[in-house]
Structures are given as C-alpha cells and as structure tokens.
Amino acid sequence: MSQAFLEVVPPPDATSDASVQRPRYHLRLRTTLVLPFVVQLTVAVGLVGGLSLWNSRASVNDIASQLRREVANRVRDEVKQYLEEPYFIHNLNAQFFKNNPTLIQDSEALQRHFLSQSRLFNDLGTLAFANREGEFIGANGLENYAVASTRATGSALRRFAITDGDQLGRVLRERPNYDARSRDWYRLAVARQSFAWSEIQPSAIGQRLDVSAVLPIYGGDRDFLGVLLCDLPLAGISQFLQGLQVGKTGQAFIIDRDGLMVAGSTSEPPLIAGKGDEEPRRLAAIQSQTPQLRAAMATLSDRFGQPIRVRESVQMDVQVEGDRHYMEVLPVQDGRGIDWLIIVMVPEADFMDRIQAGLRQTLILCAIALVLSIISGIFTSRWISRAIGNLTQASEAIAGGNLAQRVPPMGYLVINEVDKLSQSFNSMAAQLEQSFSSLEVQKDSFARFFPPEYLNFLGREDILNIELGDHVSKDMAVFFSDIRSFTTMMEQMTPQESFDFVNVYLQRVAPEIRHYRGTIVKFLGDGIMAVFPEAVDGAIAAALAQFERIRELNQERAIAGQTTIRVGMGIHAGHVMVGMVGEYNRMQGDALSDTINLTARLEGLTKFYGASLLISGALLERLQHPDRYQLRFLDRVIVKGRSEAIAIYEVLDAEVEPARSLKQQTAVEFETGYRAFARGDLGLARRHFQAVMTRNPGDVAARFYLERIDRLLVTGLPPGWDGTWTFAEK
C-alpha cells in the first residue's frame, strides 16, 4: 500500500524492551472511509441481488404452499361432509326404529320406509336393514330398485324394479340362498358394535367404487336386532375433484394408505375392469396413466414406506418428467374408520414464468446500482476528511449509559461544523439526561394505556422497543361481544350514568378474557374485541365465563330495579395480524384481517337467530375438545361483504334455562328441517320447523327459517340452491 494511505510507526523504544513489539499501522481517514464504504456497498448490493432471487423463489413457494393447502383443506372438508350423510341417515333410522320398534318386524312397512328414504337421498346407493335372522330389506334410489331377502322370497335375494307409484315391480335379478349374516359388512358391524365403514369395493355392476357404512341396532337391554347398511358411491367425490380448479393445471387425488385409488380429478377411472369372468379390481396409484400421480406415489413410498405413514399435513417437491411440482399430502379421517390421503399437485411452471422475467430485470438493476454506488461512495468519502475525536468518545460514553458526558472545548483552532455539532451534542446530552429521568416516572403511567400483554404478545421487553408496524401474524381465535339495545338504554341515562354503567360491565367481563389467556385488542364502547393466540378452546371458555358474570350482574340490577342486559358474542378462527397501527405520533394496538371482519358479522348474526353465542365452522374444526360443549348447527350463510359461505353453530351452554333444554330437545328435529331446507324440500322443512316451534315457541332461529320458507315459496328457489342464505344486512 502506498505512503499516501498507510504509515508504519515504530515502537517508542524498541531497544529498551526485551520483548519484541509489533509496529502499529495508522490509516488515514480517507482510506478508512473509502475502503469500508466500497466493501459495504459491494456486499449490500450482492445481498440485494441474492435476496431478490431467494425471495422470488420463497414467494413462489409461499403462494404454492397456500394454494395447495387451501385446496387440500377444501377437499378434506368436502369429503368429510360427503361421509357425514350416511352417518346422519343411520342415526336418523336408529332413532326412528327406537320410536317405532314394531317397524323392524313388518317387512312391507320396512320396505316402504326405505323406498321413501331412497327418494330423499337419491345420491346414495343401497339403504337397507338386515335382521338377526339374516333377512335383508332395502332400496336404492341411485339405480332405482328395491331389494329383499325374506321368508316370503324363500331366502332368495331379489332385486325389484320400482313402479311410478313406488310399488315393487318385476324381479330384475335373483340370488338363491342369501343370508346377510354371512356378508363381510354384517360381520364387521357385529364385531365393532358401533358405526363402521367397510372396505372399498367395486359396485355390484362393477362400474364404480362404493364404501358401505354399517350400524348395529339394539333394543332394550342391548338386545341385538340387526344391522343398518348404506352404500356410499365414491364417484361423487371424483365429480367434485374434477370440478375443482387447482391453479392452472394442478391435479388432486385421494388414495388409501395402501396406495389404492379412491377418487381423482382426472377422467381416469379408479378401478380396472375385469376380463371375462374376472372381477373388477381397484387401481393402484403407482400403475396410474397420470404421470403426476405415479411420481407422487413413488415419492411417498420411498419416504414413508408401505402402507404410507403420513400422520399430518406434508408438503414436498416432486419431479414429474423433469418438471418440478409442488405436492401437499393431507390425511383425511372421520374418526369412524375412514383413513385416506389427499394429494394435491401443482406444477411450478404455473407460477414461475412471469417471476423469472422480473428476476432478470432485478439482477440487471442491482448490477447497475452497484457500479453507481461504488463511484458515488469513492467521491463522497474523499470529501469527508474532517477529524472527529472528542465527539466520537463522548458519543460512545453516552451509548454506554453515561448521560452526564460532555464534549470539551476544541481550543484555538476551531472547525465551525465540528464546533457547532459539539455544542448541539452537549445540549442534546443535557436534554436526554432530563428526559430519561422524566420517562422513568411516566413509564408506569403508560402501562394503563398500553397493556403489558402487548409486550409479551409482540416479543418486546419494554414499551420503548415498540414501533409502528410491529405485529404478530398467525392463526388464532377472534372474539367480539356487544350489548343488545345499548343505544336505547343510553337514551334513558345521563352521560355520567352511561360511563359508570359501561365501566361496571367491562370490569366484570374483561378479566375473564385475560384469565383464559386472551388479549383484549380494544374496547368498542360497550363492545369488546379480543384475540386468543394460543388454544381456541380458551375463547369459548372465556365467553361462557363472561355469561356467568353477566347473569350475576343482571341479578344485581334486577334487585336494584334496573333493566337487565342481553349480550351477543361471536367467535371465529383464522389468520390474524395483531400489532401497532396509526402514525408515529399516535399509535395503538389493533388487529387486521378478513377474519376480524367476519367475526364482527358473526356477532351481528346473534340478533337474527336469537342466540347468545355463535361460533364458526372454522373454529369448531380447531377445538381440541368439541365434545365439552353443547352445540347446535344453525345455518350456512354468506354474510354482507363476503362471497364464501360459512357454517355457524350455536353454543347452547351460553343459554339460560329453560331455553337451553328446549333447544336440546328439538335439536334433531331442527337439523332434519335444515337438511330438507338445503335440499329445496320446503314443504318438509316447514313441517319440521313448525314442530320445533310447537315445542319451543321462543326458538327465534326456527321462526327465522319459517319466514325464509314463506318468502321462497313466493319467489321460488334461486338457481343452484344448496341451502346457503345470503345476508344483505349486518
């Protein structure tokens, strides 16, 4: 290095010290400024270019991850709903047989019952009952036939055509010496002694796959009476997958743990037709004509073995004929024997075309920025060559916590800029010393306006570390509450009475939210918005605890001759961002996301359904112990400002007696009415909801459905009716 940049200074007295002293190297300020500046710019621009590449890839991975997770969850929800229908029918029939025990002994009445039921559930296969003597009676609305094997048929299994009057017509097929007790599904039900699913098998005509739901029926003293059977065609799941949009060219499949096909979004059938007298058999995914499915199956087998031991959602990258595909594997289980795997495949090419073009432009701009920054840095560093000594030391001392540090006067030769900077620095140090003393006093006062929960929530040690934009983004439960007819109550109070009432109410209920590890985001007058970032069960527990406090408050108000209050609460779960919003001189904690808006709408729906506490289907799925609560399914709705439907449930634990008991007693009647309403059978739905109103005249939800039905009987059902109700008001 030249003498202009580096000077070697020998030790003061090298001969007087027995030890060898190393020389010290003194760098000129210009060199000190130029060299690090150029290095920093080079590293910074290199990092920007590298991060641009990394972020582009990360963005694609994130988008692909969200898409395949969303599709997989949607498929899982659809499959669970599809599997729920046989369970509902079996429970309905079990209750019906319990109320009508003689029906089991009456073959003709039993035949009429299944014929009628097959008309209502004509998307299912055979609905039937086999008694303990091996007799078998049922009907198939999907293929329009009835089936019977009784003493009257000589134990032969006969398949009958059904006439227009729902009468048994000619015999279509007959199998001699049929005994239902010898069938695998019958033995499975007897062995399990509860609801169960059979193995997936080709249908009787060998054109589709079916899975059978069975339920043993018992009389008094656990006296075994027989087995209910419901064949569920899996073609319905394939139809749903084929209509599903997965990116541009993605595919979705469902397989079992052994790698055999259940359903898929392609036109390839999930079974292989037999040759000659050979029985049809299920298609192994590894033998599929679809390359994506073969590659997925090979990857899963290598990683998880056979059977495929995937216990939770897994995301992987798979090479399909040289192209990268994003894959999500999600188990779907109904808790009653179904254990399948959902596979979602999305090609990387669906996302990367435009991103790669943008990435090339970014790299070119980074290179240009690097060159220009180095040139600018060299000229700027040459211009800055003023000595800064005492000021640097004083700055370091203050940074170390010595606020009493001051910069001494420079002497006779003064650099105006440095001298002015020193004077400003001394003034600033004095003000800082005074300000820090004042801040220590104010710190405790701020805690009342800025709850300590926010520090823990945002991972900050002190309020001074909180900055605008600090936030936490994660899945959590969101809670909204509001006092009914609050405006009317305020009209009868003075402003002071209004404030006193609101504070008394909030002091009763707000501690319950913190008790169950919730964070109050803000008070909305008489309302509360809170989040539960840990377990969503805490949100329901906090809500029920608040209702206990409200009942205590109402007892006190009744004794004092004051009007009691009613409160509506809504809880939903989803992705939420909680943090600091506003501007630098005024900020506050808040929560932002579509989940927040939907929860507010959910709380507003309590007025329409006469419910105290509503939760969404998304929250119900996340509950660790849903069996602890008494829930009643209310509706599938599209709230104002939304385009997607959500399921809503009423938490009956929040109701007071006798309303709670009446709603529990009419729950089956209510749900049956909704099923008919969703299918468009308005007459049947009206009868069920009217029956609910007869037993519970105060059921606002049932009355709400009757009003809907009256309106639809006038206007007619809209196209594509599935029972979802759209709210135009909040």
Side-chain angles (χ1 to χ4, degrees):
M1 185 173 289
S2 66
Q3 183 66 27
F5 290 95
L6 179 64
E7 179 182 0
V8 179
V9 181
D13 190 0
T15 60
S16 63
D17 192 350
S19 63
V20 178
Q21 300 185 22
R22 300 180 60 186
R24 294 183 301 166
Y25 297 92
H26 292 257
L27 294 176
R28 297 186 61 184
L29 180 60
R30 181 182 301 175
T31 305
T32 305
L33 291 174
V34 171
L35 186 60
F37 191 70
V38 172
V39 173
Q40 291 173 16
L41 284 174
T42 303
V43 172
V45 175
L47 286 175
V48 169
L51 287 174
S52 296
L53 176 62
W54 184 85
N55 284 331
S56 297
R57 178 69 66 180
S59 297
V60 170
N61 290 337
D62 186 54
I63 294 173
S65 175
Q66 294 180 25
L67 173 63
R68 51 186 161 166
R69 181 174 293 113
E70 179 181 348
V71 171
N73 287 335
R74 183 179 175 190
V75 172
R76 180 189 60 189
D77 294 343
E78 181 69 20
V79 170
K80 284 187 175 181
Q81 184 176 354
Y82 192 67
L83 295 172
E84 195 68 22
E85 191 170 15
Y87 182 72
F88 168 76
I89 293 172
H90 278 344
N91 285 335
L92 191 67
N93 281 330
Q95 185 65 37
F96 185 73
F97 289 167
K98 181 179 180 181
N99 296 334
N100 301 272
T102 58
L103 181 65
I104 296 179
Q105 306 301 326
D106 190 339
S107 299
E108 294 183 0
L110 197 59
Q111 190 79 70
R112 289 193 300 271
H113 172 77
F114 284 118
L115 281 173
S116 175
Q117 201 168 72
S118 67
R119 296 304 189 197
L120 293 175
F121 303 99
N122 56 9
D123 58 336
L124 300 177
T126 299
L127 296 171
F129 175 75
N131 63 24
R132 58 191 176 190
E133 285 78 28
E135 293 182 322
F136 182 77
I137 296 175
N140 188 315
L142 183 64
E143 297 173 351
N144 197 33
Y145 66 79
V147 63
S149 172
T150 64
R151 295 185 183 90
T153 66
S155 297
L157 180 65
R158 293 177 181 173
R159 180 180 295 184
F160 299 91
I162 301 175
T163 66
D164 293 338
D166 277 353
Q167 299 296 320
L168 299 185
R170 62 187 181 86
V171 177
L172 301 176
R173 185 182 299 175
E174 180 173 330
R175 180 190 299 177
N177 300 322
Y178 181 83
D179 188 341
R181 294 172 297 183
S182 65
R183 310 303 296 171
D184 291 341
W185 54 265
Y186 189 99
R187 294 173 177 173
L188 175 65
V190 173
R192 291 283 182 86
Q193 298 184 3
S194 63
F195 182 94
W197 292 100
S198 71
E199 295 291 334
I200 297 176
Q201 297 289 341
S203 65
I205 58 176
Q207 295 180 351
R208 66 170 191 271
L209 293 179
D210 288 347
V211 61
S212 298
V214 295
L215 178 70
I217 301 297
Y218 298 91
D221 298 328
R222 294 291 294 176
D223 182 25
F224 176 70
L225 301 178
V227 177
L228 284 169
L229 170 71
C230 176
D231 289 338
L232 182 66
L234 298 182
I237 300 178
S238 291
Q239 291 174 1
F240 167 75
L241 294 179
Q242 290 167 7
L244 190 64
Q245 184 69 31
V246 186
K248 293 181 180 179
T249 60
Q251 301 289 346
F253 309 93
I254 300 178
I255 64 174
D256 63 16
R257 296 282 182 175
D258 295 323
L260 299 179
M261 282 292 296
V262 176
S265 60
T266 65
S267 58
E268 182 179 19
L271 74 167
I272 301 173
K275 298 179 180 179
D277 295 335
E278 183 181 352
E279 293 290 332
R281 67 182 188 278
R282 295 177 60 191
L283 174 66
I286 196 67
Q287 298 175 350
S288 171
Q289 299 298 317
T290 306
Q292 293 95 327
L293 182 56
R294 291 199 306 272
M297 190 59 199
T299 302
L300 290 173
S301 298
D302 291 342
R303 179 169 176 179
F304 299 101
Q306 285 282 1
I308 303 171
R309 299 179 182 87
V310 176
R311 301 305 176 195
E312 57 186 10
S313 177
V314 176
Q315 293 190 343
M316 306 170 63
D317 292 347
V318 179
Q319 292 294 325
V320 181
E321 297 180 346
D323 296 327
R324 184 186 184 194
H325 282 59
Y326 300 104
M327 179 174 71
E328 169 121 0
V329 182
L330 178 66
V332 56
Q333 300 167 327
D334 70 341
R336 307 181 188 104
I338 293 298
D339 189 10
W340 298 338
L341 298 175
I342 298 171
I343 301 175
V344 177
M345 302 280 290
V346 184
E348 182 186 45
D350 285 3
F351 306 95
M352 283 300 296
D353 294 342
R354 295 183 62 183
I355 290 180
Q356 288 177 343
L359 181 60
R360 287 192 294 269
Q361 295 177 358
T362 301
L363 293 177
I364 293 173
L365 291 175
C366 286
I368 295 174
L370 175 62
V371 173
L372 294 178
S373 297
I374 291 175
I375 295 174
S376 174
I378 292 174
F379 281 100
T380 302
S381 63
R382 288 179 179 177
W383 177 67
I384 303 174
S385 58
R386 306 288 191 268
I388 305 174
N390 292 335
L391 184 61
T392 301
Q393 295 176 4
S395 299
E396 292 176 351
I398 288 181
N402 184 8
L403 299 179
Q405 183 72 21
R406 300 293 183 268
V407 178
M410 294 186 63
Y412 296 105
L413 187 59
V414 176
I415 300 175
N416 291 334
E417 293 81 1
V418 176
D419 185 57
K420 290 180 179 180
L421 181 59
S422 299
Q423 295 176 15
S424 299
F425 184 88
N426 288 337
S427 176
M428 178 191 69
Q431 293 178 18
L432 281 175
E433 189 174 9
Q434 181 180 1
S435 297
F436 269 86
S437 298
S438 177
L439 283 173
E440 289 297 323
V441 177
Q442 297 176 8
K443 183 177 180 181
D444 294 336
S445 299
F446 288 153
R448 293 188 298 167
F449 298 93
F450 189 86
E453 292 93 335
Y454 267 95
L455 294 177
N456 299 330
F457 197 64
L458 298 175
R460 296 291 187 266
E461 296 181 356
D462 194 276
I463 191 174
L464 300 176
N465 298 326
I466 296 294
E467 295 184 1
L468 185 66
D470 284 350
H471 69 279
V472 173
S473 179
K474 62 184 292 188
D475 274 359
M476 61 184 77
V478 181
F479 166 90
F480 267 84
S481 71
D482 186 60
I483 297 178
R484 295 285 169 260
S485 304
F486 180 70
T487 303
T488 303
M489 294 178 60
M490 294 303 99
E491 293 174 352
Q492 303 172 10
M493 298 181 183
T494 65
Q496 184 62 50
E497 290 173 337
S498 299
F499 271 92
D500 292 343
F501 165 74
V502 170
N503 287 329
V504 168
Y505 165 71
L506 294 177
Q507 288 178 50
R508 292 292 185 94
V509 299
E512 298 296 346
I513 295 175
R514 292 191 296 273
H515 177 73
Y516 289 97
R517 299 185 179 181
T519 298
I520 298 175
V521 178
K522 56 186 174 182
F523 296 111
L524 306 167
D526 61 307
I528 301 175
M529 180 174 73
V531 295
F532 291 80
E534 297 182 20
V536 299
D537 294 69
I540 294 186
L544 296 179
Q546 289 179 73
F547 277 112
E548 287 295 328
R549 304 291 83 75
I550 292 168
R551 282 191 276 272
E552 295 171 359
L553 178 61
N554 278 335
Q555 291 175 359
E556 297 172 9
R557 291 180 62 84
I559 294 173
Q562 299 172 330
T563 58
T564 58
I565 63 173
R566 294 185 68 248
V567 178
M569 300 182 186
I571 309 175
H572 179 46
H575 193 77
V576 180
M577 294 177 60
V578 180
M580 308 308 298
V581 299
E583 46 99 7
Y584 284 100
N585 294 323
R586 175 67 172 89
M587 57 183 174
Q588 67 180 25
D590 206 345
L592 304 173
S593 78
D594 184 57
T595 302
I596 300 294
N597 299 329
L598 185 54
T599 310
R601 296 288 189 270
L602 188 63
E603 178 272 318
L605 291 181
T606 59
K607 297 178 289 186
F608 295 97
Y609 293 94
S612 298
L613 176 58
L614 292 182
I615 65 172
S616 66
L619 182 86
L620 177 60
E621 292 178 358
R622 290 170 169 81
L623 288 176
Q624 295 180 356
H625 305 286
D627 55 324
R628 293 181 178 176
Y629 309 106
Q630 303 174 44
L631 305 178
R632 180 171 76 155
F633 174 79
L634 282 183
D635 209 348
R636 283 182 59 82
V637 300
I638 299 176
V639 299
K640 185 176 182 181
R642 298 271 298 183
S643 59
E644 297 181 0
I646 63 168
I648 59 175
Y649 296 81
E650 179 181 10
V651 182
L652 299 181
D653 306 75
E655 300 294 325
V656 297
E657 295 294 352
R660 179 193 306 171
S661 297
L662 290 173
K663 289 183 178 181
Q664 289 174 337
Q665 295 168 13
T666 57
V668 174
E669 192 81 41
F670 187 96
E671 185 170 356
T672 305
Y674 174 79
R675 296 276 184 175
F677 179 79
R679 294 194 306 272
D681 192 343
L682 300 183
L684 180 59
R686 168 181 275 280
R687 291 194 294 273
H688 284 293
F689 286 123
Q690 192 63 55
V692 174
M693 290 294 295
T694 300
R695 297 183 64 184
N696 184 12
D699 195 326
V700 177
R703 183 168 62 249
F704 193 30
Y705 270 104
L706 290 174
E707 293 172 358
R708 287 186 188 174
I709 292 170
D710 290 341
R711 190 184 312 173
L712 291 174
L713 288 174
V714 175
T715 61
L717 293 174
W721 173 258
D722 62 355
T724 300
W725 192 261
T726 302
F727 278 88
E729 60 278 319
K730 296 182 181 180

